[in-house]
Amino acid sequence: MKVFVIDMKDCVGCHNCQVGCKDEHCGQAWLPYAEAQPEVGQFWCKVDQTERGKRPHVKVSYQPRICQHCDNAPCIKAAPDAVYKREDGLVIIDPDKARGNKKIVASCPYNVIYWNESLQLPQKCTGCAHLLDGDHPISVPRCVDNCHLGIIKFGEESEFDLSGMEVLHPEYGTKPRVYYTALPRKFVAGTVYDPEAEEVYVGAKATLSGEAGTFSVITDSWGDFWLRNLPDADFTLTIEAAGKTKSMAVSTKTADVGLGDIAV
Ligand code: SF4
Ligand code: SF4
């Protein structure tokens, strides 16, 4: 059985994978796996861009998102006569049998199925099954072939060391066949300064403590601290600078935290 492995660490958000998917599927039906993808409105491979934090402490994350080709797929349960899993693990919406069945769109918790109004058809990533069959010179999905950095890989499950890798929303119980490394974790950041001297503190200590653990870092030459790779949790942030201390409650449960300037 095949898997996708997506290493988020070095993705630069160039969208080449998304463009490759469009190039492969727009204006071209690959039956029996898919009718043509419309030129607008559908992204069977989509690079999600997320702006995180608050100015001036901001990061941007990129995350390619495709059908997760779940082993316990809600879309197959919703329409077992029209959606099926291939022997290699890819999940396919049969374009003939699924015509007119809009409920398939809503069945996917990852929101990767689109409705083609003119064809009355639910459509999504096929894993480029047409390229995998036979002796095609490109024998991997186009998103894989188009990523110049090799971020997206595809192959037999046994070829990869999947230990420590993550799937999206394991709590759904869908058993995805798309594995990610280095999914973004939350951060807490700020700039520590002395309001009387009107100078930043270099070498001040910022410490997060809570039930999820204790994390410390020292401010840099600009008075900035970045506490990265944090779990989703409630913390107390303590700043220690020039013999002075300041504490405040922060939470990474719902979002990254950019605190701006912190007077100590
Ligand atoms: Fe089906 Fe959605 Fe899972 Fe893909 S990600 S197999 S469309 S439930
Ligand atoms: Fe990231 Fe590669 Fe897609 Fe570019 S082509 S957005 S580097 S996965």
Side-chain angles (χ1 to χ4, degrees):
M1 296 265 275
K2 309 276 191 185
V3 291
F4 287 87
V5 171
I6 303 178
D7 184 355
M8 301 288 301
K9 187 164 38 63
D10 296 321
C11 174
V12 294
C14 66
H15 290 72
N16 267 0
C17 48
Q18 188 172 306
V19 171
C21 177
K22 281 283 179 192
D23 186 52
E24 188 67 28
H25 292 279
C26 287
Q28 174 67 59
W30 294 112
L31 297 170
Y33 302 123
E35 291 284 2
Q37 182 180 153
E39 288 191 4
V40 295
Q42 294 198 17
F43 296 97
W44 298 358
C45 171
K46 186 171 195 309
V47 180
D48 290 330
Q49 177 175 311
T50 309
E51 290 164 30
R52 305 160 52 204
K54 191 174 157 197
R55 194 165 54 89
H57 301 103
V58 177
K59 296 280 177 200
V60 179
S61 295
Y62 305 100
Q63 185 170 310
R65 183 164 50 93
I66 56 177
C67 168
Q68 305 295 296
H69 297 284
C70 311
D71 281 348
N72 187 26
C75 55
I76 296 179
K77 288 181 189 159
D81 54 334
V83 190
Y84 64 96
K85 181 170 271 283
R86 289 173 25 127
E87 280 187 6
D88 59 9
L90 295 177
V91 172
I92 304 291
I93 297 175
D94 186 307
D96 281 338
K97 295 177 180 167
R99 205 170 297 275
N101 191 341
K102 200 169 184 178
K103 75 179 182 192
I104 295 173
V105 175
S107 70
C108 174
Y110 297 94
N111 296 318
V112 296
I113 308 178
Y114 297 83
W115 181 247
N116 186 322
E117 187 64 32
S118 60
L119 296 179
Q120 290 291 295
L121 197 62
Q123 292 182 285
K124 71 165 188 71
C125 158
T126 64
C128 289
H130 63 287
L131 294 179
L132 308 181
D133 296 346
D135 278 336
H136 200 282
I138 300 176
S139 56
V140 292
R142 270 300 294 279
C143 57
V144 176
D145 187 60
N146 248 41
C147 178
H148 56 302
L149 294 177
I151 302 291
I152 311 177
K153 295 186 170 62
F154 179 78
E156 287 298 329
E157 196 169 342
S158 56
E159 292 171 21
F160 299 97
D161 178 7
L162 300 176
S163 57
M165 292 192 193
E166 297 177 79
V167 296
L168 298 182
H169 296 291
E171 71 276 15
Y172 293 165
T174 52
K175 298 186 180 165
R177 302 200 69 77
V178 179
Y179 290 83
Y180 290 84
T181 63
L183 280 171
R185 296 274 179 266
K186 300 285 176 38
F187 68 75
V188 174
T191 304
V192 184
Y193 76 103
D194 179 344
E196 289 170 15
E198 296 185 346
E199 285 288 350
V200 297
Y201 282 116
V202 178
K205 187 175 183 186
T207 302
L208 279 178
S209 52
E211 287 186 4
T214 301
F215 308 87
S216 287
V217 74
I218 299 295
T219 56
D220 61 19
S221 306
W222 292 272
D224 287 345
F225 67 89
W226 289 86
L227 289 146
R228 305 173 201 270
N229 295 319
L230 300 170
D232 297 354
D234 295 324
F235 293 102
T236 299
L237 171 67
T238 303
I239 309 286
E240 298 167 77
K244 293 184 277 185
T245 300
K246 185 169 194 170
S247 294
M248 65 189 80
V250 298
S251 177
T252 57
K253 279 185 170 171
T254 56
D256 302 276
V257 181
L259 292 165
D261 295 340
I262 304 169
V264 176

